[in-house]
Amino acid sequence: HSLDLASATSGDKVVTAQVNNAGVALGQVSMSLSGPQRPRSNSGRELTDEEILASVMIKNLDTGEEIPLIQAEEKLPTGINPLTLHIMRRTKEYITNDAAQSDDDDRGQAPLTDTDGGKLKQKTTRLKKFLGKSVKRAKHLAEEYGEKAVNKVKSVRDEVFHNDQDDPSSSDDEGMPYTRPVKFKAAHSFKGPFDFDQVKVVQDLSGEHMGAVWTMKFSHCGRLLATAGQDNVVRIWVLKNSFDYFNNMRAKYNTEGRVSPSPSQESLCSSKSDTDGGMSSVPEDPEDKNLPFRQIPFCKYKGHTADLLDLSWSKNYFLLSSSMDKTVRLWHISRRECLCCFQHIDFVTAIAFHPRDDRYFLSGSLDGKLRLWNIPDKKVALWNEVDGQTRLITAANFCQNGKYAVIGTYDGRCIFYDTERLKYHTQIHVRSTRGRNRVGRKITGIEPLPGENKILVTSNDCRIRLYDLRDLSLSMKYKGYVNSSSQIKASFSHDYSFIVSGSEDKYVYIWSTYHDLSKFTSVRRDRNDFWEGIKAHNAVVTSAIFAPHPNLIVPQEAGAEKAGAGADHTEVLLSADFTGAIKVFINVKKY
């Protein structure tokens, strides 16, 4: 079964999340509890938001300074996203950004101070490890504590590690020459051979997005890329060699004389949506022939009124977008306007088309409800509710080809539901056994690993974990990147051999899904610290993904397939950052 334009556009154009009439999963009891009462003053008057925020004191554990919560936002790093801010307000939490550098395997290191007794030998043995951690913390607190102190620590760190200073050539200058190798680094214990040390930037799609790009998704065919974020607009980019195909699809729809059903709400109509003049098939500059994507978007979808948080493609070019405006909107590549708007009660943090029947999609929201929507019927088919004190859903996806729906929560749980009835199945507590990460942190991404019954879970403790669904055991833990407060999520390469993630330290991080144990000695089989990092951004890398079909972008050289072992191993990688810059990388490695 699949969705078509007729069923997508029939019936209501605005659908509300009325779940009272929908079937509740068996074993779940819906209880109407009165919400928490607003605090009152001694005289009985309800306190205003400002008064409540001013009365809650926050302590900075690094400096000992106490400040009212109302001032805490001013102290936050600039790379923090609005969803995180909102959740902090709601949960009355304030997380400093030195989060989660120590792992369950690490032994606590005493801070180096003058009161350590001056034992030179003890200091020198710890210096290298300490400096590494200090710099990690300092980088993320640069905004808060000033560049001078950070640079001082960095200069000492660079002397110890013989690192280069941040390369000014990796700036986001508009005149950046293409096909230039980017700055590369790798884990100190990882001596190679490397897979991505020759990666090159081949295209810069910056200048379109105003503000951060929170999410990027390729269509199943790999010819279209959807990007969205802080400026409330969904942009669709098309590969140059596929432009005519999609332009003809759009032109065919317009010449058949059918008129789009008029949306029932003025706000639903995306009459402002641009289609870049692509209708007239204007050729681009001949000097840009080697760039994989058209430099201007194929179309822009407007209609959302707040940050976009997630995107999902169906196999036949429908696109869902979810937002902090509490709606999910449905689009199709051949149409300019929004086809349907699904209203929620709270921010919609995650969406996913059902992999086997794209008439249905899953949505996860901060109201704690997981909903399975029926698009043709324009209603919630099934729903279930997260239990526990912190019920915020921050990630959602399907696994095992749609057999299970899985959601991630703010308190670090992955909860599985049987998709057939959305009945609770099991859950994983995503956390370390001891150390700072023994408390679960926000789940930011869930990606299935098809064929192996595994899922990849990204969380705000700077860890990515691969779980085996047969016994819910931890197969591998990936470390090295920084994700302490963002909505950054990791994902697989087209053949699942690599994992990529953005990072708050402005790098893109890549791991082999399974490291080659022959390269290393005395390595824990369930830990992968052997990352490779590339830097092409000067801001937090909010999203990084591999192209699903790199051969569409980099055609194999003639005879390469016959060459067998000598063939090119090609990866196409895209990254986006907090300023709206989008970079396209190509990695060709001869084996």
Side-chain angles (χ1 to χ4, degrees), residues 465-484:
R465 294 171 175 87
L466 186 66
Y467 286 98
D468 192 321
L469 297 181
R470 289 168 293 192
D471 56 2
L472 304 184
S473 63
L474 180 66
S475 294
M476 193 73 73
K477 182 192 289 186
Y478 306 89
K479 295 162 54 178
Y481 83 127
V482 185
N483 178 23
S484 54

Side-chain angles (χ1 to χ4, degrees), residues 181-195:
V182 294
K183 187 176 178 186
F184 173 86
K185 68 174 183 177
H188 298 298
S189 54
F190 187 14
K191 305 304 179 190
F194 302 117
D195 291 297

